[in-house]
Amino acid sequence: MNAILPIRRPLTVILANPRGFCAGVDRAIQIVERAIQKYGAPVYVRHEIVHNHHVVARLRELGAVFVEELHECPDDRPVVFSAHGVPKSAPAEAERRNMFYLDATCPLVSKVHLDAERHHMAGREIVLIGHAGHPEVDGTLGQLPDGAIKLVETVGDVAFVQVSDPDKLAFVTQTTLSMDDTADIITALKARFPNIVGPHGRDICYATTNRQEAIKTLSPGCDLVLVVGSSTSSNSQRLVEVAMKAGAQDAKLIDDADMIQPAWFEGVSRLGLSAGASAPEVLVEGVLDWLAARFDLSISTEETARETVIFKLPRVLVEETAAQ
């Protein structure tokens, strides 16, 4: 007699789009891959190239060696600076030691660096909205002399900002912050310093903005939202926060399908699913496979934007590829 298979409970899954890799992350990963292809292993990378454990592990298998500071690198091997950006002291040290280096800093982070320098040259003190200790923040602080940039993390911090001249003040922001939280901080800064100067356009990157808008749209009515991304990823953490503020009953950050706990799905009939800008799509597919093995899935996509941005690779890597 054939065994009667249990009837799987239905589950509606709404996929956020855009999700996953952004142009800056894709460019940074390609830089490491092509550097290993061209120069052989090992290729050293200062800090994790992007904040995703799976990406870092795969690149390590290919021959990347991840370090925190340049003193851990030999002089005769290539070094790649991560997508988060580095203080000016890093390329200066590399040049002093005659090291060959490739800069994988996201062009949108580089824009923040240039804005900070422009304001500094104009005689303005600078407020940086960001999270202390994040490598992008450390890189931005390191673009200018000590004390030239003041870090603000919360609306409450604004009241304690001390400046020499409130009429010569500007602000820049970390690119991976929550849009809504950052807007509140900017409002507080403008209330206290009416003549503060902001960036041309906005500093929070298009990919962060798009992913937050997508998850904000799908979260109302969701019993649970899963965000695929590593705990070290600022933009992934922000997606969880945005989902909760937008109306999701619960939201969780997971590295991959292995982190999912069946108990989370008690009473869940509508699930939202997204991924941070440094999370590869294969991890999202793994989550869908996990769900399909346990539920009768109905999958739809909530698309709020289409991304066509591509950032150019360093010329030395492109020319080598063309010659092969």
Side-chain angles (χ1 to χ4, degrees), residues 225-242:
V225 172
L226 296 180
V227 176
V228 181
S230 293
S231 60
T232 51
S233 168
S234 175
N235 77 84
S236 298
Q237 292 179 1
R238 301 294 81 75
L239 289 177
V240 174
E241 295 170 0
V242 169

Side-chain angles (χ1 to χ4, degrees), residues 24-40:
V25 164
D26 188 54
R27 173 180 180 270
I29 294 170
Q30 284 193 62
I31 287 173
V32 177
E33 292 172 340
R34 294 194 184 204
I36 295 170
Q37 179 183 1
K38 179 174 181 178
Y39 304 109

Side-chain angles (χ1 to χ4, degrees), residues 101-284:
Y101 67 88
L102 294 160
D103 190 355
T105 301
C106 174
L108 299 179
V109 174
S110 295
K111 172 189 173 295
V112 176
H113 293 176
L114 291 172
D115 280 348
E117 286 195 85
R118 176 174 58 84
H119 291 308
H120 184 65
M121 292 293 291
R124 300 185 183 102
E125 291 179 84
I126 301 160
V127 173
L128 168 61
I129 303 171
H131 296 303
H134 190 280
E136 182 184 330
V137 167
D138 291 342
T140 301
L141 292 172
Q143 299 304 303
L144 298 174
D146 289 346
I149 303 177
K150 304 174 188 302
L151 182 62
V152 166
E153 296 188 79
T154 67
V155 170
D157 291 342
V158 173
F160 300 98
V161 174
Q162 299 297 318
V163 299
S164 301
D165 185 347
D167 291 326
K168 290 187 176 180
L169 189 63
F171 72 87
V172 294
T173 80
Q174 183 180 333
T175 63
T176 55
L177 300 177
S178 160
M179 296 180 296
D180 294 337
D181 291 347
T182 305
D184 291 341
I185 296 173
I186 292 171
T187 297
L189 282 170
K190 289 181 176 179
R192 186 171 174 211
F193 306 107
N195 294 326
I196 193 169
V197 178
H200 298 305
R202 59 187 175 191
D203 285 343
I204 296 178
C205 85
Y206 79 93
T208 296
T209 300
N210 288 348
R211 279 148 192 72
Q212 289 181 19
E213 288 291 352
I215 209 164
K216 187 183 294 186
T217 300
L218 67 80
S219 290
C222 281
D223 304 301
L224 174 64
V225 172
L226 296 180
V227 176
V228 181
S230 293
S231 60
T232 51
S233 168
S234 175
N235 77 84
S236 298
Q237 292 179 1
R238 301 294 81 75
L239 289 177
V240 174
E241 295 170 0
V242 169
M244 291 299 293
K245 289 182 179 179
Q249 294 301 305
D250 196 7
K252 298 183 183 298
L253 179 66
I254 57 172
D255 257 320
D256 52 39
D258 291 340
M259 287 186 65
I260 301 175
Q261 298 181 26
W264 294 347
F265 292 85
E266 293 182 10
V268 171
S269 60
R270 184 178 175 91
L271 173 76
L273 180 58
S274 186
S278 50
E281 181 66 12
V282 65
L283 300 181
V284 175

